């Protein structure tokens, strides 16, 4: 029986043959560099069957490959089986990255420049140059931009999403859109540029104080935003041609009253054609797609298009006092919902009721949905029992998911979108008797999470400089995990944001007071179990002395850590004190928010060890 994904690879190869391409590169993003694209741009999934968030493909006449990192190795191997698509593992010693591999095997490379950033395509171009120079090959190579390439073979491709637009009051988010636009205009003055074109959807949503639901789990509106010293133009598929709903009409009226001009999404190229040849525009090469960049270069010449780092990610990463206060409330509300779920799960499984991973996931969502201001989950729930938890980004199947048994470990990684904040939490839950190895892994990962949470560090410290705190206990036992330790979290925006992170990659962005970052070390044993503990941390000032200004973390997450699988002897007295103090704090904050029987259960769960 022919595999449907091998058939799709075959259709692309016929397209290559017709056009004289040696290779086709397919990425897993959209025209705006989104981590989670709408269905229309889930191109890698359509071609290969791989559903992970991080994966890119190369197809040549005799090879089809998928490049992804260690979070997805097990998942990718399972999902690619029978397709003829080879898994290329990245971020491991000796790995050959996609740009270098394709440069060694092709001269004419076709890309969908509408779904690949300037930086991504230029990375391939540079690899082609190196390959031809190093191998003394003829400098006869090219990149062919084929926008919406898969339209030719993807017959039932989803349409461009259009959903209602809502606005947020500046008092709800702590800063008006006018103030944010003024910040951008000051940036333009400092950079001596006439305009900035924002293409990243969370940057646009933050700047305009707007939200939508064009992308599942992400309250975003697919659009571009142009800001000059005189104008603010929002290019969006929500004008009269799309017959918007009443909420959108009201939102547009509010935006227009604040000086924002609303234009059709496709009008950007029309307007660019009329720009003066001396007009200069600032763009971000990580998020602006290559096709739009080349359109701007054609209109303005390369000297008129300046590629740099947008200032907006740093603006929105540093939460203001209103956002911080709201986030504290969000984590209390969210924590109460998770505690009710954990109470239900423990009692259901211990009582002999067969609970599947999928049912558990749905039940957790149901508890969150009862919170006023809930607007959906912040990402797809990870609900994984036993060996399934060894897949860091396990996707729980609606049918045939594993039954959670009264033994071993269950892992749930989930979050909510609320009008007052975005949450993200992981809890690994002992469901009954655990093996010695499960307990040891559980405790070592917990040591790492606690160590990072307790960190005190000098101003100017980057996340990569303290990542070792979360790994040291594992490293000393010669264990490790392949993903980053921490990512930024938005405010009723994307659950993953930068520019800060906590990982081994050399990101020089310092951690700043007001930044909200996850703390989530883990360990994954294929075929056995997975452990991850995740809390969300707020960076704050910790005082100053003759050695400088000091920073520390405040833990925002408010949900108990189960101590039944902890090996106390592996924790230091300081770590034990932190754990007991944290659990006591959880009970104190949540007991009055919970039903009486859940509060009584939580009191037992948070007893000191």
């Amino acid at each position: 029986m022919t595999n449907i994904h091998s058939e799709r690879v075959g259709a692309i190869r016929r397209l290559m043959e017709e056009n004289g391409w040696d290779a086709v590169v397919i990425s897993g993003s959209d025209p705006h560099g989104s981590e989670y694209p709408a269905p229309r741009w889930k191109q890698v999934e359509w071609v290969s069957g791989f559903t992970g968030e991080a994966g890119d493909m190369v197809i040549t006449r005799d090879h089809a490959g998928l490049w992804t990192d260690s979070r997805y190795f097990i998942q990718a191997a399972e999902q690619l089986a029978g397709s003829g698509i080879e898994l290329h593992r990245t971020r491991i010693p000796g790995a050959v990255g996609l740009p270098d591999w394709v440069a060694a095997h092709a001269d004419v490379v076709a890309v969908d420049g509408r779904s690949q950033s300037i930086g991504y395509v230029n990375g391939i171009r540079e690899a082609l140059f190196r390959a031809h120079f190093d191998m003394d090959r003829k400098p006869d190579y090219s990149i062919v931009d084929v926008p919406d390439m898969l339209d030719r073979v993807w017959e039932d491709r989803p349409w461009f999403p259009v959903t209602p637009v809502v606005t947020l009051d500046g008092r709800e988010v702590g800063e008006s859109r006018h103030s944010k636009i003024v910040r951008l205009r000051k940036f333009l003055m400092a950079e001596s540029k006439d305009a900035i074109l924002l293409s990243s959807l969370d940057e646009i949503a933050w700047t305009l104080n707007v939200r939508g639901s064009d992308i599942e789990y992400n309250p975003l509106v697919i659009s571009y935003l142009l800001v000059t010293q005189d104008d603010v133009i929002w290019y969006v598929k929500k004008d009269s041609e799309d017959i918007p709903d009443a909420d959108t009409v009201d939102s547009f009226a509010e935006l227009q009253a604040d000086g924002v001009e609303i234009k059709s999404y496709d009008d950007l190229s029309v307007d660019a054609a009329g720009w003066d040849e001396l007009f200069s525009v600032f763009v971000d090469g990580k998020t602006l797609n290559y096709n739009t960049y080349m359109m701007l270069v054609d209109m303005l010449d390369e000297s008129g298009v300046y590629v740099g780092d947008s200032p907006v990610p740093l603006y929105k990463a540093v939460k203001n006092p209103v956002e911080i206060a709201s986030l504290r409330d969000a984590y209390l509300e969210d924590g109460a919902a998770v505690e009710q779920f954990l109470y239900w799960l423990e009692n259901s499984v211990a009582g002999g009721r067969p609970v599947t991973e999928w049912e558990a996931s749905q039940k957790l969502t149901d508890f969150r949905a009862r919170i006023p201001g809930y607007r959906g989950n912040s990402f797809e729930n990870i609900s994984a029992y036993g060996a399934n938890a060894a897949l860091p980004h396990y996707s729980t199947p609606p049918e045939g998911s594993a039954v959670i048994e009264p033994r071993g470990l269950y892992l749930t990684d989930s979050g909510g979108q609320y009008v007052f904040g975005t949450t993200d939490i992981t809890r690994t839950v002992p469901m009954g008797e655990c093996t010695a190895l499960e307990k040891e892994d559980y405790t070592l990962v917990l040591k790492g999470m606690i160590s990072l949470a307790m960190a005190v560090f000098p101003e100017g410290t980057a996340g990569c400089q303290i990542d070792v705190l979360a790994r040291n206990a594992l490293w000393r036992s010669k264990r490790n995990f392949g993903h980053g330790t921490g990512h930024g979290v938005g405010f009723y925006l994307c659950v993953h944001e930068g520019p800060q992170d906590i990982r081994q990659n050399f990101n020089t962005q310092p951690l700043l007071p007001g930044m909200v970052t996850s703390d989530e070390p883990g360990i994954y044993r294929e075929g056995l179990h997975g452990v991850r503990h995740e809390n969300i941390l707020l960076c704050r000032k910790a005082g100053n002395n003759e050695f400088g200004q000091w920073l520390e973390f405040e833990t925002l997450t408010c949900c108990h850590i189960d101590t039944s699988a902890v090996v106390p002897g592996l924790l230091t007295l300081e770590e034990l004190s932190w754990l007991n103090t944290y659990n006591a704090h959880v009970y104190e904050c949540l007991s009055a928010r919970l039903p009486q029987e859940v509060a009584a259960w939580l009191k037992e769960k948070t007893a000191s060890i």
Side-chain angles (χ1 to χ4, degrees):
M1 180 173 158
T2 305
N3 181 286
I4 188 172
H5 299 294
S6 63
E7 290 180 353
R8 291 170 179 173
V9 169
I12 293 169
R13 284 184 172 137
R14 288 191 290 274
L15 197 61
M16 293 166 55
E17 187 69 30
E18 293 168 7
N19 291 276
W21 306 330
D22 299 325
V24 163
V25 177
I26 303 169
S27 70
S29 190
D30 65 9
H32 301 272
S34 302
E35 178 184 16
Y36 299 100
R40 174 173 179 77
W41 292 287
K42 292 186 176 181
Q43 300 173 91
V44 170
E45 180 178 336
W46 183 80
V47 175
S48 70
F50 173 67
T51 59
E53 288 95 22
D56 298 305
M57 290 190 68
V58 174
I59 298 173
T60 67
R61 290 183 173 86
D62 57 7
H63 183 86
L66 172 85
W67 276 253
T68 193
D69 61 58
S70 62
R71 294 172 295 170
Y72 304 101
F73 288 169
I74 302 171
Q75 175 183 341
E78 293 175 354
Q79 292 181 327
L80 297 179
S83 67
I85 300 169
E86 182 178 326
L87 172 61
H88 292 254
R89 293 171 169 83
T90 66
R91 298 182 184 174
I92 60 173
V96 178
L98 184 151
D100 288 326
W101 190 94
V102 73
H105 293 82
D107 294 324
V108 181
V109 180
V111 301
D112 178 353
R114 193 164 288 162
S115 296
Q116 294 166 357
S117 71
I118 307 166
Y120 187 94
V121 176
N122 283 343
I124 297 172
R125 187 188 309 280
E126 290 165 6
L128 283 166
F129 173 81
R130 287 195 305 271
H132 283 73
F133 180 82
D134 292 344
M135 299 173 65
D136 197 27
R137 291 155 65 184
K138 289 192 303 180
D140 186 17
Y141 59 86
S142 62
I143 292 179
V144 184
D145 180 11
V146 190
D148 294 321
M149 179 194 305
L150 293 188
D151 277 357
R152 309 182 188 191
V153 294
W154 189 350
E155 294 181 359
D156 56 348
R157 187 173 186 176
W159 291 99
F160 195 110
V162 177
T163 61
V165 175
V166 297
T167 53
L168 302 178
D169 191 291
R171 290 167 295 185
E172 296 176 294
V173 296
E175 187 177 4
S176 68
R177 63 181 63 91
H178 173 74
S179 172
K180 294 174 179 180
I181 289 165
V182 167
R183 284 213 240 177
L184 282 174
R185 285 175 170 157
K186 289 180 178 177
F187 171 80
L188 288 175
M189 291 177 64
E191 294 290 328
S192 300
K193 298 294 178 291
D194 296 315
I196 182 170
L197 179 65
L198 299 183
S199 51
S200 176
L201 304 183
D202 62 335
E203 295 181 35
I204 296 168
W206 179 88
T207 302
L208 293 180
N209 288 344
V210 297
R211 301 294 188 269
S213 53
D214 287 359
I215 297 177
E216 190 176 18
Y217 308 119
N218 297 268
L220 306 175
V221 183
I222 295 176
S223 56
Y224 293 96
L225 181 66
L226 183 76
V227 177
T228 73
Q229 293 298 348
D230 301 312
D231 299 304
V232 180
I233 305 175
W234 193 25
Y235 298 96
V236 56
K237 277 188 180 289
K238 305 253 179 332
D239 52 10
S240 57
E241 70 188 42
D242 298 301
I243 315 177
D245 67 354
D247 287 340
T248 304
V249 171
D250 292 342
S251 297
F252 281 5
E254 179 186 327
L255 289 162
Q256 289 166 334
D258 277 348
V260 179
E261 185 177 359
I262 312 293
K263 289 196 172 186
S264 173
Y265 182 84
D266 299 317
D267 279 350
L268 175 60
S269 58
V270 177
D271 285 359
W275 290 345
D276 185 279
E277 62 181 11
L278 297 179
F279 191 79
S280 59
V281 60
F282 187 102
V283 300
D284 192 319
K286 298 186 297 296
T287 58
L288 183 67
N289 68 70
Y290 178 77
N291 181 260
T292 299
Y293 169 72
M294 292 306 298
M295 178 270 292
L296 294 175
V297 168
D298 288 344
M299 303 298 182
L300 298 174
D301 198 0
E302 199 162 358
S303 61
V305 186
Y306 181 82
V307 180
D309 293 329
S310 167
V312 177
L314 185 55
Y315 293 164
K316 66 182 174 62
V318 178
K319 307 300 185 278
N320 61 53
V322 172
E323 292 173 316
I324 291 170
S326 294
L327 282 168
R328 289 192 179 109
D329 288 340
Y331 278 94
L332 290 174
E333 294 280 1
D334 196 75
V338 178
E339 293 291 13
Q340 291 178 78
F341 162 72
L342 295 175
Y343 170 82
W344 169 86
L345 178 67
E346 179 177 298
N347 282 275
S348 297
V349 173
R353 183 174 177 276
V355 177
T356 66
E357 296 167 326
W358 179 257
E359 183 187 0
S361 173
Q362 297 300 103
K363 191 70 174 181
L364 176 53
T365 294
D366 178 60
F367 279 115
R368 279 202 171 97
R370 301 174 192 179
I371 298 173
Y374 171 79
R375 293 294 182 268
N377 291 341
S378 57
F379 55 98
E380 182 181 1
N381 289 346
I382 297 173
S383 177
Y385 175 68
N388 290 335
L391 283 69
H393 282 223
Y394 174 67
S395 182
T396 310
E399 298 180 4
S401 64
V403 173
I404 301 169
E405 300 179 17
R407 59 180 176 81
L409 299 173
Y410 166 76
L411 185 152
T412 175
D413 186 350
S414 64
Q417 292 285 9
Y418 308 98
V419 294
F420 45 88
T422 299
T423 66
D424 184 4
I425 177 175
T426 305
R427 286 295 181 264
T428 302
V429 186
M431 297 309 305
E433 185 62 34
C434 294
T435 66
L437 182 60
E438 287 172 331
K439 290 180 178 180
E440 191 173 274
D441 283 344
Y442 184 97
T443 308
L444 291 175
V445 173
L446 181 58
K447 279 175 69 72
M449 191 195 79
I450 293 173
S451 180
L452 182 58
M454 293 193 302
V456 178
F457 47 96
E459 187 177 50
T461 298
C464 60
Q465 294 173 296
I466 59 174
D467 179 80
V468 66
L469 296 176
R471 297 178 187 268
N472 190 46
L474 289 166
W475 283 359
R476 289 173 67 88
S477 298
K478 297 183 175 62
R479 303 172 205 190
N480 201 7
F481 56 97
H483 55 74
T485 298
H487 57 81
V489 181
F491 180 86
Y492 186 24
L493 271 175
C494 297
V495 75
H496 296 153
E497 69 171 23
Q500 86 280 14
D501 55 26
I502 301 174
R503 59 188 311 137
Q504 293 179 283
N505 303 51
F506 292 106
N507 178 357
T508 60
Q509 172 61 53
L511 296 169
L512 301 173
M515 285 182 168
V516 175
T517 310
S518 69
D519 172 6
E520 49 181 316
I523 189 168
Y524 311 95
R525 295 184 183 273
E526 186 174 354
L528 293 176
H529 60 263
V531 176
R532 186 163 64 253
H533 301 296
E534 178 189 19
N535 278 350
I536 303 301
L537 308 177
L538 169 68
C539 183
R540 66 186 185 187
K541 292 182 178 180
N544 62 285
N545 57 20
E546 67 271 31
F547 298 102
Q549 176 70 53
W550 295 87
L551 303 175
E552 63 183 4
F553 293 122
E554 171 191 336
T555 298
L556 295 177
T557 307
C558 195
C559 179
H560 83 280
I561 297 168
D562 198 308
T563 58
S564 64
V566 169
V567 182
L570 292 178
L571 298 180
T572 65
L573 290 177
E574 188 180 22
E575 290 163 351
L576 269 172
S577 175
W578 185 97
L579 177 58
N580 288 330
T581 301
Y582 175 77
N583 275 345
H585 169 77
V586 170
Y587 177 75
E588 179 184 350
C589 291
L590 297 185
S591 57
R593 295 171 177 261
L594 298 171
Q596 187 174 356
E597 66 277 12
V598 182
W601 167 86
L602 183 60
K603 187 173 185 178
E604 294 179 6
K605 287 291 181 181
T606 56
S608 293
I609 60 169

